[in-house]
Amino acid sequence: MTATIFVGEREYFPAISAIPYEGRESDNPLAFKFYDRNKMVGGKSMQEHLRFSACYWHTFCAKGSDPFGVDTQVFPWDSASDSMAAARDRMDAAFEFFTKLGVPYYCFHDRDMAPEGRSVAESEKNLSVLVSLAAERQQATGMKLLWGTANLFGHPRYMNGGATNPDFTVVTHAAAQVKAALDATVALGGENYVFWGGREGYGSLLNTNTQRETEHLARFLEMSRDYGRSIGFTGTFLIEPKPMEPTKHQYDFDAQTVIGFLRHYGLAGDFKVNVEANHATLAGHSFAHELQMCTDAGLLGSVDANRGDPQNGWDTDQFPTDLYDAVQAMLVILEDGGLKGGGFNFDAKVRRESTDLEDIFIGHIGGMDTFARGLEVAYRLREQSSLGERKQQRYSSFDSGEGARFEQGHLDLAAMRDLAERGGEPLNRSGKQEWYENVINQYL
Ligand code: XLS
Ligand code: CA
Ligand code: CA
């Protein structure tokens, strides 16, 4: 990787050049200790395995405010008073950041990239101006778009939902936004398109017809799919589950709910799931659980990499630092043959109290190192430990004989009863959970 790369008129991070790999002995906070992009892990480079992406919204649009306090972070790309000029500056800063960090991909919402206009047409115009600039920046830097999406939750018109709003006029506005965001995604060669239904849910059943809203959501997704395909989008549509927040209940509650929904409405051929780690824990699951449910269904699309805080249930969107979690996630993904088209997108933000400009680099570096280590450990576990074999062995009674005939559907309930009678009381076989857990620690 060559040194300083910036393609706009101004350099926003002059004190920081391309982040190097320096190895675990380095004490340079602005260097990778484990992520060595060209290092081969089982026939693929780390970069190819992990397909890292940074997001536009947390890093370039949010500035540390929370429900109790105003912004704490002051960014040099935020000084222009004209909103289109500010959007251009933000884009220059974003591409400088992506390139210096060395992530191959980025993601955006329409409204992160360009401000909302006073009409549908003006909003479309604003977005297309910024999309042209993004296309130039992608060309100049080699950056690629992992996914685009439309923000159907920020504007007051979406307070009762976007695609599931009880007012049809609002649904038409949601459609207009998705149409423009799909145009933008295709123009930028986006590999995926995401639907996260932040307000597609309800606050009270008393005022909500959930059956009608769910049908509307399915119809909305079908139209979006049809439009996307008609303009040449060949990538994958993704639904990102989240159980709640901002609504009390969100329809895309968790991976299994989304998988059931996609199959019910015949959408599973075009749509897959974007699993976010913090949404998994918010749903009372683990990150690995959600990944596993998706790979079991053949529907893992992409990953939003972050974490919550074990002391509370919020969507804190912190940078991932937990190695044990990363190893378990990578075990599931490697078992599935690796990511196929998705990536690891850092949908994560530095803390409100992290106010130095370099903190956004440090957060991403830590997240990338965490998954690089997770990848290496999971790879070694699969190659060198007997973890996989023992799990397979646990099911060996289904590999031949009557167990295999059961799996093939050749036995009925009465035949099973006769086998129970003949087989006598089964011996208890230990699940060995502690052994499995200790093996992971041994390889960390
Ligand atoms: C919010 C979601 C959101 C999606 C994209 O909780 O994570 O940022 O990833 O709309
Ligand atoms: Ca997300
Ligand atoms: Ca989140």
Side-chain angles (χ1 to χ4, degrees), residues 311-423:
Q311 277 181 34
N312 57 43
W314 309 329
D315 189 19
T316 57
D317 287 335
Q318 287 169 248
F319 280 94
T321 51
D322 187 323
L323 289 180
Y324 205 88
D325 249 24
V327 170
Q328 293 199 71
M330 291 315 301
L331 277 173
V332 177
I333 289 171
L334 290 180
E335 177 71 20
D336 197 43
L339 287 174
K340 306 172 187 86
F344 277 97
N345 171 49
F346 289 108
D347 189 351
K349 58 183 180 221
V350 295
R351 298 302 84 196
R352 182 170 196 268
E353 305 79 7
S354 300
T355 48
D356 290 342
L357 202 49
E358 66 167 19
D359 293 333
I360 60 178
F361 278 92
I362 294 173
H364 284 83
I365 290 168
M368 291 163 81
D369 274 341
T370 299
F371 277 95
R373 276 187 85 178
L375 167 66
E376 288 201 292
V377 173
Y379 180 75
R380 280 195 292 114
L381 273 162
R382 288 171 51 78
E383 289 295 299
Q384 296 163 19
S385 80
S386 54
L387 209 77
E389 254 160 63
R390 293 194 58 165
K391 180 160 154 183
Q392 209 180 340
Q393 188 56 28
R394 199 163 178 230
Y395 296 87
S396 59
S397 61
F398 294 93
D399 291 344
S400 60
E402 297 297 345
R405 294 188 65 226
F406 161 81
E407 279 197 350
Q408 291 151 10
H410 298 318
L411 298 180
D412 60 18
L413 203 63
M416 295 286 277
R417 181 254 159 227
D418 293 345
L419 287 169
E421 170 77 16
R422 229 188 301 141

Side-chain angles (χ1 to χ4, degrees), residues 6-81:
F6 70 101
V7 286
E9 280 158 26
R10 165 172 174 198
E11 188 171 17
Y12 286 94
F13 308 95
I16 298 174
S17 44
I19 304 298
Y21 165 73
E22 291 184 358
R24 73 182 301 162
E25 303 308 325
S26 166
D27 58 8
N28 175 5
L30 293 170
F32 295 112
K33 317 297 179 302
F34 300 96
Y35 179 62
D36 181 3
R37 65 173 65 82
N38 296 318
K39 183 171 180 184
M40 300 300 284
V41 181
K44 270 205 281 188
S45 67
M46 282 190 162
Q47 171 154 284
E48 286 169 301
H49 272 287
L50 296 166
R51 298 165 55 87
F52 283 130
S53 157
C55 80
Y56 221 96
W57 51 100
H58 285 312
T59 307
F60 297 98
C61 304
K63 285 168 276 182
S65 63
D66 71 12
F68 301 92
V70 297
D71 295 341
T72 55
Q73 293 151 350
V74 183
F75 292 132
W77 53 86
D78 246 2
S79 53
S81 52

